[in-house]
Amino acid sequence: MSRGRVRRAAGSPIAAALVLLQAAVLALSPGCDAAAVTTDAEPDYREALSKSLLYFEAQRSGRLPYNQRVRWRGHSGITDGLQQGVDLVGGYYDAGDHVKFGLPMAFTVTMLSWGAIEFGDDIAAAGEWHHTLEAIKWGTDYFIKAHTEPFVYWAEVGDGDTDHYCWQRPEDMTTSRKAYRVDKDNPGSDLVAETAAALAAASIVFRGSNPHYSHILLHHGQQLFEFGDRYRGNYDISIAEVRGFYASVSGYRDELLWAAFWLHRATGKEEFLRYAVDKADCFGGVGWAMTEFSWDVKYAGLQVLASKLLLDGDPQGERHRVVLERYRAKAEHYLCACLRLNNGSNVDRSPGGMLYVRQWNNLQYASSAAFLLTVYSRYLAGAGARLRCPDAPAVPPSELLALARSQAEYILGRNPLRLSYMVGYGPRFPAQVHHRAASIVSHKANNRFIGCMQGFDHWYVRKRPNPNVLTGAIVGGPNCRDEFRDDRTNYVQTEACTYNTAPMVAVFARLHNLSATAAEEGCRPGTALGLSAKCK
């Protein structure tokens, strides 16, 4: 049986402590110190980018469009919300199951949008701009539907417990599609603030091509921010059904700061920046020094956004320089920890060089780190600045980008097992991904109904490759010793999530453009990643 709920139970304090304890035990095992991996030919980042965007089409819920490229998927969840009298058709399944969880879905869209904002030219140069917009809009269209009243937001469709006792294709679903909402009496500040951040970021992406849609996104984003701030509370307190899956350990304060920075960037209104400055201390924005950036913990991301205001010389940022410098110090703590230049307070690495945070679905943390490293290297380069670390006071932007590149390479197969952790990329990749739709014969190939137990008995336990390739999915990945077991029942390592792949879209696009530039200038592979134009 799938135990995806245990993976997400990292959200509960007890389970989180257990996961951290497991990680600590692994970290003490022999062979968990960093070591070099021999290099091969440079990955094809353009192919990786194209496939990463294809993955989001496989995760779609609702009525699929005529231009759907993942042909083994069909319509699903087409009555979502009907029981509650609201249209909740659409959105994304987060992983290998069929619940639509609002918090990780919103974070996925925020990361896709942030990548499009920063590296849109790189994405367009690779010919993937249209697919990126489609991936973002599939999420934002759903968020608009789910925001049915100013102070009402539909947080979840489906029940995780019943879903995890069933192994079915989404097209055959017989599990509960009950919808759960947050409102004034049952608040969910973390969820609605993350959604506000996603909508604000997406509004920037669509501003040039679809200004009317951009305006609608921003309107909903501002309303949701007001909702989250006025009626404060954790959404997993209001909705008990989510606690075992995506409980918000960090609380809602990081999401409110995160949303404020995104709304400031989208609107230019100083009131949002003032909010983030005024609440910098009491909401932990300048107090929490993190070594993790994830769907739950947003501090490192919002600290990077705050730092950009200073590095860009933003006039509003200059007026709040003292507080923003404190934000920047925390952002650089995270980045220095990834680089292992943080006076001992560093992010662990596997022998093969993978950034390692915890055992369960570790590649989500490596991909998020790769994104922040890539973004911050651009911010530093644009300002002619360097990263300030306790063990190295002037780190050039190229070192941040080099570490991001090493994580991308690891994911794409430059690792001790020579296994690509992106499904469908390279000669060897996970064949038994923990994913219901991919692991069962396509509904289009065989439309005979497959029930819950039939799915378990005939498909879940099969020791054969999945009949459908979940192209572009990044699985949970190996442990701290670079060990990986390709088995559908090994959900800790073989389940893929949308928020694993979302940060890598921009990273792949950036690395592809830099590699292409290097080739044009006659450079050796990788030398252009040092941000130097003089590489011939």
Side-chain angles (χ1 to χ4, degrees):
M1 177 179 295
S2 163
R3 297 197 182 191
R5 62 179 178 274
V6 180
R7 165 176 60 81
R8 299 184 189 91
S12 68
I14 295 175
L18 290 173
V19 172
L20 289 171
L21 178 59
Q22 290 172 332
V25 171
L26 284 171
L28 292 172
S29 301
C32 282
D33 294 328
V37 177
T38 57
T39 58
D40 297 320
E42 189 171 30
D44 186 337
Y45 294 116
R46 183 172 186 172
E47 179 187 349
L49 168 62
S50 297
K51 289 183 173 178
S52 67
L53 290 164
L54 197 63
Y55 165 62
F56 292 100
E57 297 190 22
Q59 294 302 109
R60 286 172 170 171
S61 180
R63 293 193 174 274
L64 303 184
Y66 72 93
N67 61 346
Q68 170 82 7
R69 294 178 294 165
V70 180
R71 306 302 297 176
W72 51 267
R73 279 295 324 283
H75 305 315
S76 63
I78 56 177
T79 61
D80 283 357
L82 183 64
Q83 180 181 348
Q84 287 76 27
V86 59
D87 178 7
L88 295 176
V89 178
Y92 287 112
Y93 303 120
D94 71 300
D97 46 25
H98 302 140
V99 182
K100 293 192 297 201
F101 291 104
L103 184 58
M105 193 193 308
F107 178 69
T108 293
V109 173
T110 306
M111 296 307 296
L112 285 170
S113 298
W114 193 359
I117 293 166
E118 303 292 357
F119 302 106
D121 290 344
D122 297 327
I123 294 171
E128 293 294 339
W129 181 247
H130 178 69
H131 291 138
T132 301
L133 293 184
E134 285 186 332
I136 294 169
K137 194 171 186 293
W138 194 266
T140 53
D141 283 350
Y142 176 77
F143 301 155
I144 292 170
K145 285 184 175 184
H147 186 210
T148 52
E149 299 175 40
F151 300 133
V152 173
Y153 187 78
W154 292 88
E156 178 181 333
V157 179
D159 173 67
D161 288 324
T162 60
D163 182 271
H164 281 73
Y165 283 105
C166 219
W167 196 262
Q168 286 180 293
R169 300 174 294 202
E171 296 83 2
D172 289 334
M173 273 192 292
T174 57
T175 51
S176 169
R177 300 307 288 171
K178 181 178 179 181
Y180 303 86
R181 75 181 213 175
V182 292
D183 52 37
K184 292 186 290 186
D185 298 321
N186 304 281
S189 300
D190 32 22
L191 167 65
V192 296
E194 178 59 60
T195 309
L199 292 167
S203 76
I204 301 172
V205 176
F206 287 100
R207 186 174 294 160
S209 61
N210 194 340
H212 176 67
Y213 187 64
S214 173
H215 176 77
I216 292 172
L217 296 176
L218 195 55
H219 172 72
H220 281 276
Q222 290 181 96
Q223 278 196 343
L224 284 167
F225 179 75
E226 181 184 358
F227 174 22
D229 188 43
R230 182 180 297 186
Y231 302 100
R232 295 182 187 171
N234 284 13
Y235 89 118
D236 58 339
I237 294 177
S238 298
I239 303 173
E241 288 78 3
V242 81
R243 291 176 196 163
F245 303 90
Y246 284 104
S248 183
V249 175
S250 68
Y252 59 78
R253 292 172 179 83
D254 54 334
E255 277 86 10
L256 284 173
L257 291 173
W258 174 243
F261 276 115
W262 273 116
L263 284 165
H264 172 257
R265 187 162 181 180
T267 66
K269 295 180 180 178
E270 191 169 4
E271 65 188 79
F272 294 114
L273 177 57
R274 193 178 306 113
Y275 179 97
V277 168
D278 290 346
K279 300 189 183 317
D281 282 298
C282 62
F283 278 12
V286 296
W288 284 103
M290 307 305 302
T291 54
E292 169 189 332
F293 176 52
S294 66
W295 60 264
D296 180 22
V297 186
K298 313 294 167 30
Y299 283 111
L302 67 91
Q303 289 157 358
V304 166
L305 287 177
S307 303
K308 184 180 189 298
L309 295 171
L310 290 178
L311 291 166
D312 286 353
D314 185 286
Q316 292 184 9
E318 288 298 324
R319 287 196 288 273
H320 301 287
R321 171 170 285 277
V322 173
V323 175
L324 291 179
E325 283 286 6
R326 295 174 64 198
Y327 271 113
R328 182 180 174 186
K330 298 304 180 185
E332 298 197 341
H333 177 280
Y334 171 83
L335 298 162
C336 294
C338 291
L339 289 163
R340 301 178 68 85
L341 297 173
N342 216 32
N343 195 27
S345 179
N346 295 315
V347 178
D348 290 333
R349 294 190 198 179
S350 70
M354 173 186 63
L355 291 170
Y356 183 82
V357 175
R358 58 179 60 94
Q359 180 183 11
W360 211 304
N361 188 20
N362 182 69
L363 284 182
Q364 67 171 303
Y365 307 110
S367 65
S368 294
F371 180 91
L372 290 187
L373 288 159
T374 304
V375 166
Y376 207 74
S377 70
R378 165 166 278 192
Y379 295 168
L380 289 173
R386 297 194 169 210
L387 180 66
R388 306 165 298 188
C389 296
D391 297 338
V395 181
S398 58
E399 289 196 26
L400 282 73
L401 196 55
L403 179 56
R405 178 175 180 255
S406 74
Q407 300 308 296
E409 290 176 339
Y410 188 102
I411 289 170
L412 296 178
R414 192 174 290 184
N415 54 62
L417 295 182
R418 293 297 185 264
L419 179 71
S420 167
Y421 293 109
M422 171 179 276
V423 180
Y425 178 92
R428 296 180 62 242
F429 51 83
Q432 293 191 38
V433 182
H434 182 93
H435 189 276
R436 288 159 174 75
S439 68
I440 301 174
V441 62
S442 168
H443 188 267
K444 293 188 176 182
N446 183 347
N447 62 6
R448 294 177 60 186
F449 175 78
I450 296 175
C452 284
M453 292 301 103
Q454 183 183 359
F456 274 119
D457 293 341
H458 294 286
W459 297 99
Y460 179 69
V461 297
R462 293 178 68 195
K463 299 303 180 184
R464 302 179 191 172
N466 289 348
N468 309 305
V469 179
L470 192 65
T471 301
I474 296 176
V475 298
N479 63 19
C480 79
R481 295 183 294 272
D482 300 303
E483 298 166 340
F484 180 84
R485 181 168 57 88
D486 186 11
D487 188 317
R488 197 172 299 111
T489 65
N490 180 21
Y491 39 81
V492 172
Q493 295 186 323
T494 63
E495 189 167 20
C497 300
T498 57
Y499 46 86
N500 295 16
T501 298
M504 295 307 297
V505 169
V507 177
F508 291 145
R510 183 62 180 148
L511 294 177
H512 163 67
N513 204 10
L514 289 170
S515 295
T517 301
E520 290 174 3
E521 296 181 351
C523 303
R524 290 179 293 104
T527 54
L529 298 180
L531 300 174
S532 171
K534 299 177 180 178
C535 59
K536 290 187 179 180

